[in-house]
Amino acid sequence: MKIAVVGATGLVGGEILKVLEERNFPVTELLAVASERSVGKEVTFKGKQIKVIGFEDAIAAKPEIAIFSAGGGTSLELAPRFAAAGITVIDNSSAWRMDPTKKLVVPEINAVTLTKEDKIIANPNCSTIQMVVVLNPLHQKYKIKRVVVSTYQSVTGTGKAAVDQLFAERAGDHSVSKVYPHPIDLNVLPHIDVFLDNGYTKEEMKMTNETKKIMGDDSIAVTATTVRIPTIGGHSEAVNIEFENEFDLDEVRQILSEAEGVIIQDDPKNFLYPMPLTAHGKDETFVGRIRRDESQPKTLNLWIVADNLRKGAATNTVQIAEFLAKHDLVGVAQEA
């Protein structure tokens, strides 16, 4: 299968190449695609150097699937052009997520809704993905009423320039251009994406709206506070879940232990709980600190960690591509 990675020179684009290779996706030809300023550069895939090409050449090459990680503006402009050429686009930006005509997919939850007609498929926000893979199996059993989530998100979620800012500050170098309005080293910023008129950030509203869309239930109330912290390689979340039905903690652990893509790390006596350090480079979502909220009935506390560049971005897009390939849901559209 001919695959294009649009935004191949970026942080997530590089991770997508790595995940395609690690998971042995059936790539017959890889197209590394980026903006004009990156054309001619090289990326590495399966030990080979691949020259970066521009958008027009990529469309002309007619890959079966194009995985986009090139920002919302690029996706809005170019995804429809790729789709019009019969190419199935899996988009990692926020451009299409809340479009009612587009599917927002986490494979463990709703890949079964995909059809060959879905030519632009949206990949959810990183912090939403790791939360819903844990929430969904519990929702099926106990029905979720309300979710309160506070996130602790890695600088890698902002991109390479943010990582550069963190390490420059740590080294005492203040000449590096700033991505954040304040220092990030030895600091915490309760501010991810832009502030909206309601006082929430765009990231917080993404978690609220995307959760409902992915899980197919608008009755789930979600409120979020998203926070940037000076870590590399993983987002963490403290999640408080109120159910309609009573639950049993042992049964909760059993459900989560059987959930696809979820690993329980919950042995506090031996200091075992999920951390960004141990989730780094892994595709699974880790859950621990599983305990009852003793302040109100039918309410559960969890701690969820995943590598935001992997399951939060690259891995989820590749898993969507794997589902499409397995179920023969791609192919250049036939002429009428």
Side-chain angles (χ1 to χ4, degrees), residues 315-332:
T315 301
N316 202 70
T317 60
V318 173
Q319 287 173 322
I320 294 170
E322 287 171 345
F323 185 91
L324 295 172
K326 182 180 177 182
H327 295 88
D328 194 26
L329 297 177
V330 295
V332 176

Side-chain angles (χ1 to χ4, degrees), residues 17 19-20 98-99 109 187 197 221 280 327:
L17 295 175
V19 174
L20 284 167
M98 296 313 297
D99 184 323
I109 299 172
N187 200 16
D197 289 343
H280 182 62
H327 295 88

Side-chain angles (χ1 to χ4, degrees), residues 57-74:
D57 288 343
I59 294 170
K62 293 275 182 80
E64 280 92 343
I65 295 173
I67 301 177
F68 271 55
S69 189
T74 300

Side-chain angles (χ1 to χ4, degrees), residues 131 134-139 141-150 237-256 264 266 287-304:
M131 184 170 75
V134 174
L135 292 186
N136 194 63
L138 299 176
H139 182 55
K141 178 69 178 177
Y142 307 116
K143 190 152 177 52
I144 295 171
K145 283 175 66 177
R146 182 171 186 253
V147 177
V148 181
V149 54
S150 299
E237 299 171 347
V239 186
N240 179 271
I241 312 159
E242 182 184 357
F243 297 106
E244 285 191 10
N245 303 307
E246 189 50 82
F247 62 86
D248 174 78
L249 276 177
D250 288 337
E251 188 177 49
V252 165
R253 290 188 176 93
Q254 184 64 31
I255 290 167
L256 293 177
I264 294 178
D266 191 35
V287 59
R289 300 297 318 278
I290 301 168
R291 63 209 188 277
R292 189 176 288 276
D293 179 347
E294 296 182 348
S295 70
Q296 66 171 13
K298 302 177 187 173
T299 304
L300 180 72
N301 282 312
L302 301 173
W303 176 252
I304 300 170

Side-chain angles (χ1 to χ4, degrees), residues 188-247:
V188 164
L189 305 180
H191 168 196
I192 297 179
D193 213 323
V194 297
F195 282 100
L196 304 173
D197 289 343
N198 64 356
Y200 286 80
T201 65
K202 199 171 175 184
E203 181 87 354
E204 289 159 356
M205 295 313 300
K206 285 176 191 174
M207 294 193 76
T208 296
N209 297 325
E210 292 178 21
T211 297
K212 296 177 182 188
K213 183 173 179 179
I214 296 162
M215 292 173 62
D217 192 338
D218 284 339
S219 73
I220 301 171
V222 181
T223 186
T225 302
T226 58
V227 180
R228 188 72 69 192
I229 64 172
T231 54
I232 301 292
H235 290 350
S236 306
E237 299 171 347
V239 186
N240 179 271
I241 312 159
E242 182 184 357
F243 297 106
E244 285 191 10
N245 303 307
E246 189 50 82
F247 62 86

